[in-house]
Amino acid sequence: MINAAAFEAAPTRPTFMAALHPATRLGWLVLAVAVAMAAPWPAVAALTLALAAALGGTGLGAGAQARLLRPWLPMAALALLIHTLTTTAAAPLGHPSWAGAGAGLRALLRLGTTLAALAVYLRSGSLDDLVSGLGWWLRPLGRAGLSVDDLSLSVAVACGTVPQVIGEGRRLQAVTRLRRHIHGGTPNRAAAFRARMGRGWFDRARLVVPLLETLGRRAETLELALRGRRPAAAVGGGPRAGEWALLGTGLLTVVALMLLRGGR
């Protein structure tokens, strides 16, 4: 049996962010995403370095971060190529330009910063913290009739199910590769390369049915598992005065950076 822990994220070390109120951490995530999407790119680059250092503080070092990015390099290269050939502000459509390459690099930087902010948030708390933060910010909507507790529970179920399904898919892929290796491969190197290039898509397509079956089994038992059980709805009290000051400072900084960018 393949150990499920082999497909899980690196263990998390406690950081100063764990002492913050869950609503404060969620607010900082929103502000970081706003900076990544709308601030000038030098500010985004500085934020990326800060987030990389924060990830290192949680136990995910530079080497581990590079390994996580490696599978996405082909998609990043494709996005860079598309921007290089389709940025018509500097050259006709289909003609490469340095301005297009720069636009592609800036787009990848913003995407990477957003993912880094999400990773820092996920590694600085638990699923109960996410539910608590959502419940606190959405609490005013509860007076308007929205079932805030059910919404938080839905988010918790979704966040808890997706990693398990991804881990199950990776285990199935590993088993498929092991079985193919045991039964032998194709006779020559060229045929083996062609077969390997074609197998990848077919192997992923074959995972759809067992993964859907896994989701169906989980759905059947979900009601029994959650009956009488809910993640922590909300922690007592709200963010402290110092945390409100930090959030306010961050909000003013985001607004200033957006104005500095001039809406571009």
Side-chain angles (χ1 to χ4, degrees):
M1 180 177 292
I2 300 176
N3 189 356
F7 300 95
E8 293 178 354
T12 304
R13 291 201 301 258
T15 63
F16 74 96
M17 295 185 65
L20 299 177
H21 191 278
T24 303
R25 291 203 300 271
L26 192 58
W28 272 107
L29 172 64
V30 174
L31 293 176
V33 172
V35 170
M37 292 293 101
W41 73 264
V44 179
L47 178 61
T48 303
L49 295 177
L51 291 173
L55 283 174
T58 65
L60 196 67
Q65 295 177 37
R67 286 192 296 271
L68 289 176
L69 291 176
R70 192 177 304 155
W72 300 100
L73 290 180
M75 294 298 297
L78 178 61
L80 182 60
L81 178 63
I82 291 174
H83 278 80
T84 302
L85 296 176
T86 60
T87 301
T88 57
L93 184 65
H95 292 266
S97 65
W98 288 111
L105 289 174
R106 290 191 294 272
L108 291 174
L109 175 65
R110 294 183 188 281
L111 176 60
T113 306
T114 302
L115 295 177
L118 182 60
V120 171
Y121 174 78
L122 292 176
R123 293 180 63 81
S124 64
S126 63
L127 185 60
D128 284 349
D129 292 336
L130 173 61
V131 175
S132 299
L134 280 174
W136 194 90
W137 285 110
L138 297 177
R139 187 170 53 183
L141 298 179
R143 303 187 184 96
L146 180 66
S147 182
V148 175
D149 292 339
D150 291 342
L151 178 61
S152 301
L153 181 61
S154 300
V155 173
V157 170
C159 293
T161 301
V162 171
Q164 294 179 2
V165 174
I166 292 176
E168 181 70 17
R170 289 175 177 172
R171 289 192 289 272
L172 290 174
Q173 279 186 316
V175 170
T176 301
R177 288 194 297 267
L178 287 173
R179 287 178 175 174
R180 183 176 293 120
H181 179 74
I182 291 173
H183 292 300
T186 49
N188 58 75
R189 185 173 299 177
F193 177 76
R194 289 193 300 269
R196 189 163 58 249
M197 292 297 292
R199 279 195 202 119
W201 295 102
F202 286 109
D203 288 346
R204 289 178 176 84
R206 280 196 288 262
L207 292 178
V208 174
V209 173
L211 288 179
L212 287 177
E213 184 181 358
T214 300
L215 283 174
R217 290 199 305 268
R218 293 185 185 279
E220 291 176 355
T221 58
L222 189 59
E223 181 181 0
L224 294 176
L226 293 179
R227 186 174 296 171
R229 297 180 58 191
R230 285 179 180 269
V235 295
R240 297 183 291 271
E243 296 178 10
W244 277 117
L246 287 175
L247 282 175
T249 303
L251 180 60
L252 292 176
T253 303
V254 171
V255 172
L257 289 173
M258 289 181 179
L259 293 176
L260 181 63
R261 192 184 181 202
R264 291 179 286 108

